[in-house]
Amino acid sequence: MISGRLQNGLETARLVWSQLPSSDEPESAAAEGEEVFGPRVNGGVESLDYEVIENYAYREEQAKRGRFYVGYSVMVKWFFALLIGIGTGVAAIFINLAVENFSGWKFSLTFSIIQHSYFAGFLVYTLFNLALVMSSVYIVTHFAPAAAGSGIPEIKGYLNGVDAPGILLFRTLIGKIFGSIGSVGGGLALGKEGPLVHTGACIASLLGQGGSTKYHLSLRWLQVFKSDRDRRDLVTCGCAAGVAAAFRAPVGGVLFALEEVTSWWRSQLMWRVFFTSAVVAVVVRSAMNWCKSGKCGHFGSGGFIIWDISGGQDDYSFQELLPMAIIGVIGGLLGALFNQLTLYITYWRRIYLHKKGNRVKIIEVCLVSLITSFISFGLPLLRSCSPCPVTEANSAIECPRPPGTYGNYVNFHCAKDKKEYNDLATIFFNTQDDAIRNLFSAKTIHEYSAQSLLTFLVMFYSLAVVTFGTAVPAGQFVPGIMIGSTYGRLVGMFVVTYYKKLNVEEGTYALLGAASFLGGSMRMTVSLCVIMVEITNNLKLLPLIMLVLLISKAVGDAFNEGLYEEQARLRGIPLLETRPKQYMRNMTAREACRNQKVVYFSRVVKVADVVSVLQSNKHNGFPVVERGHNGEMRVIGLILRSHLLVLLESKTDFQNSPFPCDGSMPIRHNFSDFVKPVSSKGLSIEKIHLTRDDLDMYIDLGPFLNPCPYIVPEDMSLSKVYNLFRQLGLRHIFVVPRASHVIGLITRKDLLMEENEDSATLELQSTSVRAQQPDRRPTYRQGETEHPLLNSLLIETQH
């Protein structure tokens, strides 16, 4: 009976949850079969060309490279990793110094004024916050629209193979840095850690393209990496550097890039990412040591996050595992609810509010700032002060704090002649980093009352939901940690009350609550676990953090996807998930493309036909076919839309003859001519002007096509095609009929040939058809049969 009621309860809960709004389907801005998607942001996203286009220009460039080029390329990549680490570290230092100083000036001025008038202090506090928030939203709306939000969904989409317009531009970088200073310094319920990931990615991308040509900040000697694949590796280093700079967690940054944002990984990239994170850690540590001399203004223990709780709870008992598991369940439920509410509000905001223009966006953010200031200043006034606890003589904790300073035991609206503090003001009248440090702090049992923690939890949770999605740079790491640490400390208070004989620290439960909420919202496990250990400097809590993360993620996955996946879908970014859908196992490649109309070119095509196809279709890749000796049409390669536009604009390869060139004509293009700009705009057919004589000319596409695209048979399962597509980072894949003939079979042994072996005399045992002995039939291994329709080909690619 109990199990039946439990099952009915779960079904009812799922039914109610399913009635809540979910993400909208992305609007298709392209015709059927296209790969240009219509998001809710300005412009459409476009797939990236991670596959190497092995056309004549590419092979000619490879042939010109000497024996030292490989070593030179490796050195340049490591040098760029060094520059990315230094640049991201400097940006993080600037953002942290600015936020800490603005917050310090704000709190010092407010505390000095409230000694005379609380109303005047409220006005100054509100106007200070409003001015900072106004600067942030103005920068985003009028200068860098792509800087809004955390930027992690867009960067995750980029590393998944999808490029959204404007996300890696120079103005986006500037908007992210200064917008984060205004929004975080203005006291909004958001953080700077997510935007720092986007900042690191922008720095990496700008270094990879040699700077910004629009703002005349381009350096030719930096323009080394010209392919989407190389830029992808740099952006991966930038993401890891952003996390390392935000949390001072270099290992966590590497794992975050591996687990959360990248879809493709290799060992060489691992070392460069690790080196970049280490450089960031050194730069940030050097800046902190320099700031200890008092040269950084109000910059104190806050800013660069290290919530040291190494002096807290050293051990735990079996009895505590139950309340810790409860923390995991609460984190999963609140995290899933947070994702669903933010999804609903963001959807409503995009459909009904933000379409009315930038003025509405500015008014919205200003109203959120006023509400936040009113709540954070007004609620502590309603709380009565508490007497300071009796502390040890050598304790480093001072109660109450002197006016104008912030930390534990803030004196706000308390009697001046008594040792009292306001526990709710201790949370609100601190920077978020210091507030979390107070919640995590050890030896401060009963510093906060349950009423204050519950009040703060409800209000800050609501503010975080409403603030997320506004037109300012907004991260959710630190707000999530604040939410989780609040209810975690509440559970810790319950444990202290009922398990009086245990050595229990409320700060330890606050840490576990923070981990549980982040796991329930963002659905990260390994990277988040390492980050939490690094920022708390307490390795003994690792098993407990692992426990609550696994529970919170499992509970959250029962209701919806992670925060970044939901927001990416809302923005129309088509992410390829780690695993294919279940229905794909019962579908074939032919069934997946049965409704598509294939648009192809002949090898020699008329210019007018190319223009007509490009104007009537939005496809970015076209098969190129040629009639064989038996009269059948066969595919000879793939030509990209961007390459066709380059050929049409240059006009140097136009010819009068409708026949293929015999190879004597020189190729007038090099590989760099076909490089797409990072801005993702590139050429368009509307901007190319051709005369009537030009339209009557012909183009031989043979030297410019990719002669070896990836091909799958029509009866291959769609799940297998999905894995191939995602793991290789492809943009196009051809589906061909099954009929074919055997020309060879490549095995592992063939791919392990030594360079010094003579390939002309090398005998591949039972692996290929021997051209030297045409009268002899190919050999087959035991269990293999000759099949005239089988054509097996293995191509080795370097990522």
Side-chain angles (χ1 to χ4, degrees):
M1 181 181 298
I2 297 177
S3 61
R5 291 182 178 178
L6 180 61
Q7 184 68 24
N8 294 335
L10 291 176
E11 293 296 333
T12 304
R14 290 179 180 176
L15 178 61
V16 174
W17 187 271
S18 64
Q19 294 176 353
L20 290 176
S22 58
S23 68
D24 57 301
E25 296 295 330
E27 295 177 353
S28 177
E32 186 176 351
E34 297 169 9
E35 53 176 294
V36 178
F37 305 91
R40 301 295 181 184
V41 293
N42 296 329
V45 298
E46 182 181 351
S47 296
L48 293 166
D49 295 304
Y50 288 154
E51 181 184 359
V52 175
I53 307 299
E54 296 182 347
N55 55 17
Y56 182 86
Y58 173 80
R59 294 180 176 179
E60 189 178 57
E61 182 179 283
Q62 293 291 317
K64 292 180 181 179
R65 293 174 175 175
R67 63 172 62 183
F68 298 107
Y69 178 79
V70 175
Y72 167 76
S73 176
V74 172
M75 290 179 58
V76 170
K77 289 179 180 179
W78 282 91
F79 177 68
F80 270 69
L82 174 65
L83 293 181
I84 293 170
I86 295 175
T88 307
V90 171
I93 292 168
F94 176 74
I95 292 174
N96 278 277
L97 289 179
V99 169
E100 287 291 315
N101 279 281
F102 277 124
S103 299
W105 296 331
K106 175 179 63 179
F107 290 128
S108 297
L109 184 60
T110 302
F111 273 102
S112 62
I113 294 178
I114 62 176
Q115 302 299 322
H116 308 283
S117 172
Y118 277 91
F119 181 75
F122 169 73
L123 289 180
V124 171
Y125 177 80
T126 304
L127 292 177
F128 205 112
N129 285 337
L130 187 62
L132 290 174
V133 171
M134 275 282 292
S135 65
S136 176
V137 68
Y138 187 85
I139 290 173
V140 170
T141 54
H142 290 80
F143 181 69
S150 67
I152 293 181
E154 290 81 2
I155 299 303
K156 186 172 183 177
Y158 182 89
L159 297 178
N160 193 259
V162 178
D163 187 14
I167 62 172
L168 297 175
L169 298 182
F170 178 73
R171 66 171 179 267
T172 303
L173 172 63
I174 299 301
K176 212 73 179 180
I177 292 175
F178 290 96
S180 298
I181 294 173
S183 60
V184 179
L188 294 181
L190 43 82
K192 57 184 179 296
E193 286 67 30
L196 265 176
V197 176
H198 195 176
T199 299
C202 290
I203 292 174
S205 178
L206 290 170
L207 287 173
Q209 63 175 321
S212 175
T213 56
K214 180 178 180 180
Y215 297 97
H216 307 288
L217 298 174
S218 180
L219 298 176
R220 185 175 298 274
W221 64 275
L222 285 176
Q223 298 175 1
V224 179
F225 301 104
K226 300 179 179 180
S227 67
D228 287 337
R229 180 176 302 184
D230 293 332
R231 292 167 181 168
R232 173 187 63 182
D233 292 348
L234 294 178
V235 172
T236 304
C237 294
C239 291
V243 176
F247 295 103
R248 285 176 56 197
V251 180
V254 177
L255 294 177
F256 176 82
L258 171 62
E259 179 186 9
E260 185 62 23
V261 293
T262 58
S263 301
W264 193 87
W265 198 262
R266 68 180 187 277
S267 59
Q268 296 92 336
L269 180 60
M270 170 78 80
W271 283 108
R272 290 204 302 273
V273 170
F274 186 80
F275 173 71
T276 305
S277 300
V279 171
V280 172
V282 172
V283 172
V284 172
R285 170 60 67 179
S286 302
M288 291 192 65
N289 292 334
W290 184 72
C291 288
K292 287 182 180 179
S293 59
K295 299 179 181 179
C296 298
H298 285 271
F299 183 85
S301 59
F304 297 109
I305 301 173
I306 283 289
W307 298 307
D308 193 346
I309 60 171
S310 56
Q313 185 171 341
D314 294 330
D315 200 4
Y316 49 90
S317 66
F318 180 77
Q319 294 173 290
E320 294 181 77
L321 295 181
L322 178 59
M324 291 175 181
I326 293 175
I327 289 179
V329 174
I330 295 174
L333 294 175
L334 291 181
L337 180 62
F338 182 87
N339 293 356
Q340 200 73 16
L341 292 178
T342 53
L343 189 66
Y344 170 74
I345 294 177
T346 304
Y347 172 73
W348 174 84
R349 183 180 280 129
R350 289 174 178 270
I351 295 298
Y352 300 104
L353 198 63
H354 285 180
K355 286 186 176 181
K356 298 180 180 180
N358 291 334
R359 181 178 297 179
V360 175
K361 296 180 182 180
I362 295 175
I363 294 175
E364 178 197 18
V365 175
C366 292
L367 287 176
V368 172
S369 175
L370 292 174
I371 295 173
T372 304
S373 299
F374 178 80
I375 291 175
S376 59
F377 193 96
L379 287 182
L381 293 175
L382 303 178
R383 285 292 302 168
S384 59
C385 294
S386 304
C388 289
V390 179
T391 58
E392 299 177 0
N394 57 352
S395 177
I397 299 177
E398 183 181 2
C399 181
R401 289 275 179 171
T405 63
Y406 42 100
N408 288 90
Y409 303 110
V410 172
N411 185 353
F412 181 82
H413 199 243
C414 299
K416 299 181 180 179
D417 55 345
K418 296 181 180 179
K419 301 193 72 173
E420 294 180 338
Y421 72 98
N422 191 318
D423 59 346
L424 197 54
T426 303
I427 307 177
F428 277 119
F429 278 89
N430 277 299
T431 61
Q432 292 181 359
D433 295 345
D434 282 316
I436 296 171
R437 187 174 291 106
N438 297 340
L439 291 169
F440 283 179
S441 61
K443 312 303 180 185
T444 57
I445 297 178
H446 304 307
E447 177 182 0
Y448 304 96
S449 65
Q451 295 85 352
S452 295
L453 290 177
L454 192 59
T455 301
F456 177 79
L457 174 62
V458 174
M459 299 310 301
F460 193 82
Y461 190 96
S462 304
L463 289 175
V465 169
V466 174
T467 307
F468 188 82
T470 55
V472 292
Q476 282 304 309
F477 272 102
V478 169
I481 292 175
M482 290 194 68
I483 293 171
S485 59
T486 304
Y487 67 75
R489 191 150 183 132
L490 280 169
V491 176
M493 294 173 62
F494 171 81
V495 175
V496 169
T497 302
Y498 288 92
Y499 298 156
K500 298 180 180 179
K501 296 182 180 180
L502 299 178
N503 182 23
V504 176
E505 289 285 354
E506 296 176 3
T508 300
Y509 285 83
L511 167 65
L512 298 180
S516 70
F517 186 83
L518 291 180
S521 176
M522 300 179 183
R523 312 294 160 76
M524 297 185 297
T525 53
V526 179
S527 59
L528 183 58
C529 183
V530 174
I531 289 174
M532 297 303 294
V533 170
E534 286 187 282
I535 63 181
T536 54
N537 197 24
N538 194 335
L539 190 60
K540 295 180 180 179
L541 300 178
L542 179 60
L544 301 180
I545 297 175
M546 295 171 63
L547 174 66
V548 298
L549 280 176
L550 290 174
I551 294 176
S552 62
K553 184 181 185 302
V555 173
D557 286 339
F559 295 100
N560 52 27
E561 293 182 302
L563 177 66
Y564 299 137
E565 289 77 9
E566 296 278 8
Q567 294 297 321
R569 182 175 294 106
L570 182 64
R571 288 167 168 80
I573 300 175
L575 294 179
L576 291 180
E577 300 176 359
T578 306
R579 296 181 299 176
K581 300 294 185 182
Q582 183 64 32
Y583 71 88
M584 294 183 180
R585 302 180 186 275
N586 303 321
M587 292 182 62
T588 63
R590 180 181 180 87
E591 294 173 349
C593 58
R594 62 181 180 269
N595 295 326
Q596 294 182 4
K597 181 181 179 182
V598 180
V599 181
Y600 60 89
F601 290 113
S602 301
R603 173 174 175 174
V604 181
V605 61
K606 197 172 184 180
V607 174
D609 296 337
V610 175
V611 174
S612 175
V613 170
L614 295 182
Q615 288 178 342
S616 59
N617 295 274
K618 298 296 183 181
H619 301 296
N620 287 281
F622 302 91
V624 180
V625 299
E626 188 178 45
R627 189 173 299 276
H629 298 292
N630 56 358
E632 295 183 356
M633 302 298 291
R634 60 187 182 93
V635 178
I636 62 174
L638 169 72
I639 188 73
L640 294 181
R641 181 186 189 91
S642 58
H643 291 190
L644 290 172
L645 293 175
V646 171
L647 298 178
L648 292 178
E649 186 188 43
S650 64
K651 304 180 184 180
T652 56
D653 296 282
F654 291 0
Q655 62 183 36
N656 294 316
S657 172
F659 301 101
C661 58
D662 55 2
S664 60
M665 296 292 294
I667 301 299
R668 303 178 180 87
H669 295 278
N670 53 38
F671 184 70
S672 60
D673 294 338
F674 300 104
V675 174
K676 186 186 68 173
V678 180
S679 62
S680 75
K681 294 180 180 179
L683 295 172
S684 63
I685 188 63
E686 291 78 12
K687 296 181 180 179
I688 297 177
H689 303 284
L690 299 172
T691 63
R692 185 179 298 274
D693 294 336
D694 293 334
L695 296 176
D696 293 332
M697 303 286 280
Y698 294 87
I699 305 178
D700 182 7
L701 302 179
F704 310 104
L705 55 83
N706 181 12
C708 46
Y710 287 91
I711 297 175
V712 298
E714 60 181 346
D715 55 353
M716 178 181 284
S717 68
L718 188 58
S719 62
K720 196 171 183 179
V721 176
Y722 183 97
N723 291 327
L724 179 68
F725 201 95
R726 187 182 189 276
Q727 292 173 6
L728 295 180
L730 302 181
R731 185 175 187 178
H732 308 93
I733 195 164
F734 285 171
V735 179
V736 298
R738 187 50 142 161
S740 58
H741 65 278
V742 176
I743 64 173
L745 181 65
I746 295 179
T747 64
R748 180 186 297 267
K749 182 178 180 181
D750 305 324
L751 299 177
L752 296 177
M753 295 184 298
E754 299 293 337
E755 293 183 2
N756 55 3
E757 295 184 12
D758 187 0
S759 59
T761 60
L762 183 66
E763 181 178 357
L764 304 180
Q765 298 179 358
S766 302
T767 59
S768 62
V769 181
R770 303 177 186 179
Q772 294 88 348
Q773 300 176 353
D775 58 330
R776 188 176 176 185
R777 296 178 63 82
T779 60
Y780 295 87
R781 300 179 185 83
Q782 184 178 1
E784 293 181 351
T785 57
E786 181 179 1
H787 198 300
L789 300 181
L790 175 65
N791 181 14
S792 177
L793 179 62
L794 175 62
I795 302 177
E796 180 183 10
T797 59
Q798 296 179 357
H799 285 260

